[in-house]
Amino acid sequence: MPPILAYNESSLPASSLDERLQLAAQHHLALEIANSGNLDWEPYLKANIPIAAVQAYAMHDVHPLHPDAQHRQQALHHVHQTLEIAAQLQVPRIVTVCGFGSDVVDSPFERCLDFFSHCAAKAKALGIKIMIEPLSPRRCEAMTEPYRIGQLVDTLAEPEVFTTLLDTGHLLDSGYDLEAFLPNWPFPTEELQLKGPHSTPPDFSLRPWLMQLPFQPAVLCVEHRQPITLSEFEQLISAIRLEFPLNND
């Protein structure tokens, strides 16, 4: 089945939540939304707009690689809470990471393996996939090598629960050539986030990236931190739809 096209809700060129929801509906987009720990999910439920994924966004601060055990426990609680929100919204997947920042725990692979193992039962019971996203070394001191995340998913050995998410922006910031990297990526991947380097919007010339995929992601999601005008947003969405067959067209 072709992927659905989603947009990170905070990246949309509109100032209020109502305007962003209207913009997504107008352009037939699904949304990826962020749970920072206090997400009010009722407006999304009422809007009746497809939600592609819920980000466990508080993992910017609390995460499996944090050297403080209490922080790691808070991270586990946050992932469980995000799974519950996804279940309430009937969202089939959440976004997680291994860590942020320069202060990280010893034995990072083993810490992440233990952490995510404690998320598996709840995710399986709710029927929700946990996507683990490799970040660039600009964001974290450990577990940034994409193949290490793939090995983590393989070692967890719960393919109905754990999968990877690739972000082209983080890959570019890590120094990868996307046209060389993507055709050789061997791990299951549920979502491809489209982003340029340094959190810019992705380039309009998307075909060299998209045509190299050896996998069929369930979701293509545009995400960027740099603001974009409404005109640029519409050009970008049109370019993606010209380059790739989508399920929500």
Side-chain angles (χ1 to χ4, degrees), residues 171-190:
L171 293 173
L172 291 167
D173 287 346
S174 298
Y176 289 102
D177 178 339
L178 295 178
E179 292 181 59
F181 176 88
L182 291 174
N184 297 299
W185 178 249
F187 299 103
T189 302
E190 181 80 0

Side-chain angles (χ1 to χ4, degrees), residues 33 42-43 48 80 90 128 157 207 213 225 246:
I33 63 175
E42 288 288 348
N48 199 31
H80 283 203
Q90 297 185 321
I128 295 170
R207 183 174 291 276
L213 300 180
R225 300 289 174 251
L246 297 164

Side-chain angles (χ1 to χ4, degrees), residues 132-146:
I132 308 176
E133 176 185 4
L135 304 180
S136 83
R138 296 174 183 271
R139 304 297 188 210
C140 190
E141 287 292 321
M143 295 297 290
T144 59
E145 166 57 48

Side-chain angles (χ1 to χ4, degrees), residues 29-202:
L29 296 169
L31 287 175
E32 187 160 293
I33 63 175
N35 172 35
S36 296
N38 57 351
L39 178 69
D40 179 9
W41 46 267
E42 288 288 348
Y44 302 101
L45 196 61
K46 292 177 181 176
N48 199 31
I49 293 171
I51 307 296
V54 181
Q55 297 179 352
Y57 199 76
M59 295 184 89
H60 283 74
D61 300 311
V62 294
H63 50 75
L65 296 182
H66 201 286
D68 187 293
Q70 184 176 356
H71 281 247
R72 296 195 298 272
Q73 189 61 37
Q74 289 171 352
L76 187 62
H77 172 76
H78 178 63
V79 172
H80 283 203
Q81 179 203 49
T82 304
L83 286 166
E84 290 166 2
I85 290 171
Q88 291 286 345
L89 292 170
Q90 297 185 321
V91 177
R93 58 190 70 84
I94 69 168
V95 181
T96 66
V97 297
C98 287
F100 273 87
S102 58
D103 192 13
V104 297
V105 74
D106 294 334
S107 304
F109 185 90
E110 290 74 17
R111 292 286 190 177
C112 290
L113 185 61
D114 177 70
F115 177 91
F116 284 106
S117 295
H118 284 87
C119 302
K122 189 176 191 70
K124 188 182 295 186
L126 294 173
I128 295 170
K129 282 196 170 184
I130 297 176
M131 303 185 292
I132 308 176
E133 176 185 4
L135 304 180
S136 83
R138 296 174 183 271
R139 304 297 188 210
C140 190
E141 287 292 321
M143 295 297 290
T144 59
E145 166 57 48
Y147 285 87
R148 201 64 170 145
I149 300 298
Q151 290 167 354
L152 175 63
V153 166
D154 274 358
T155 306
L156 285 162
E158 297 271 12
E160 69 275 29
V161 173
F162 295 106
T163 183
T164 67
L165 179 157
L166 290 179
D167 183 315
T168 58
H170 288 303
L171 293 173
L172 291 167
D173 287 346
S174 298
Y176 289 102
D177 178 339
L178 295 178
E179 292 181 59
F181 176 88
L182 291 174
N184 297 299
W185 178 249
F187 299 103
T189 302
E190 181 80 0
E191 177 175 326
L192 182 68
Q193 286 189 355
L194 302 178
K195 186 193 296 175
H198 306 290
S199 295
T200 58

